[in-house]
Amino acid sequence: MELWTDMHIKTLLPSMLIMAVVALILGKCLAKRSERVRMLPFQFLAVLLVVLEIFKQTKSFSQGYNLYHIPLHFCSLFVFMLPLMSFYHGKYKNGVRAIAVGLCAAVFAIMCVYPSLIYSAWDIEHFFDNFFAFHTVVFHNIVILEFFLIVTLRLYHPRSFKKDALPIALFMAGYCLVGSVAAHLLKTNFNNFYTCNIPPLEAVRLLVEGALGYVPAQILYVLVVSTLDIVVTVSTYWLFRLLYWLTAPFVTTKGRA
């Protein structure tokens, strides 16, 4: 259970630093522009994520299709939520943006603590000779850059915690229901709903299964994973609020998102 590998230290840390600097520069340059203009870099990257996902799905189909490539993972949610945040301006705009912010903040927090859980050293090493490795690394780094842009371009202004936490929690509960059911029907490990990628926790799951039996243990396991997903996504939303406050002296935007 290695949280950071040498490959992550050599590649992820510099890339995150560069992305943070780029986001701050864009935030400063576009601070006085309208939200429509400030949203343009974010929209470009959101569309790029969709294009990358289309290539991934096409590549998988050409090889016989791997069920693991069905976009039901936690990070697959960005394929839907970031374009939705980019182009939706209806009644539920604030709720949609709060959800996108919560998801981005959760991935950023995990990338800071346990990047090996997001993508492995193997993905980094095979970045140039394996499309799926390339996709995994690029996709998640784009998500981090999108998170930085949300903060520095002031694409969402935090409301009260209650107003923002509710849509995040409800959305995650719905995702956990769909994702866990699909994982067991297809016997595919979406978002660790089927088994656990963290070896010590997987050992605990197997111990509980041996004591309670498969079905009760699996129901308990899914409930624990789902609860953690909801709690982590809602709680890391505070990371966004912290970064929003920390960058305030450097970014003053025109109007509110």
Side-chain angles (χ1 to χ4, degrees), residues 232-252:
V232 168
T233 308
V234 171
S235 60
T236 52
Y237 164 81
W238 284 100
L239 180 60
F240 160 70
R241 296 178 76 104
L242 174 63
L243 293 176
Y244 186 94
W245 175 74
L246 288 174
T247 56
F250 308 100
V251 182
T252 303

Side-chain angles (χ1 to χ4, degrees), residues 9-174:
I9 293 172
K10 293 175 182 177
T11 60
L12 180 58
L13 281 180
S15 68
M16 288 179 73
L17 178 60
I18 292 171
M19 288 188 290
V21 171
V22 169
L24 281 171
I25 292 173
L26 282 173
K28 190 70 174 176
C29 292
L30 300 179
K32 302 301 181 181
R33 305 301 295 271
S34 66
E35 182 199 333
R36 183 182 64 82
V37 174
R38 300 199 313 272
M39 183 63 81
L40 290 175
F42 188 88
Q43 290 173 332
F44 171 79
L45 292 174
V47 171
L48 181 58
L49 280 185
V50 175
V51 172
L52 284 172
E53 186 64 23
I54 291 172
F55 274 110
K56 173 186 172 182
Q57 296 299 324
T58 303
K59 182 76 170 178
S60 188
F61 273 113
S62 71
Q63 297 179 354
Y65 203 74
N66 184 342
L67 293 178
Y68 193 73
H69 292 152
I70 296 175
L72 286 172
H73 301 276
F74 180 90
C75 290
S76 300
L77 297 173
F78 295 109
V79 176
F80 310 103
M81 291 308 303
L82 293 185
L84 192 59
M85 174 175 174
S86 295
F87 299 104
Y88 176 72
H89 299 284
K91 178 180 178 181
Y92 303 105
K93 169 185 166 181
N94 286 328
V96 166
R97 295 194 179 191
I99 292 167
V101 166
L103 295 173
C104 287
V107 169
F108 175 64
I110 295 171
M111 289 279 273
C112 289
V113 176
Y114 192 179
S116 294
L117 187 63
I118 302 295
Y119 59 79
S120 66
W122 186 92
D123 292 314
I124 301 172
E125 291 166 358
H126 293 273
F127 181 84
F128 294 105
D129 57 54
N130 183 286
F131 173 77
F132 295 109
F134 165 83
H135 177 277
T136 298
V137 174
V138 172
F139 184 96
H140 291 94
N141 277 272
I142 288 176
V143 169
I144 298 304
L145 178 54
E146 290 276 64
F147 178 57
F148 289 158
L149 291 179
I150 292 172
V151 175
T152 62
L153 293 175
R154 293 306 197 247
L155 299 181
Y156 184 63
H157 297 266
R159 301 176 295 172
S160 70
F161 178 68
K162 181 179 179 181
K163 286 183 178 179
D164 282 338
L166 182 59
I168 296 172
L170 291 176
F171 177 85
M172 284 306 300

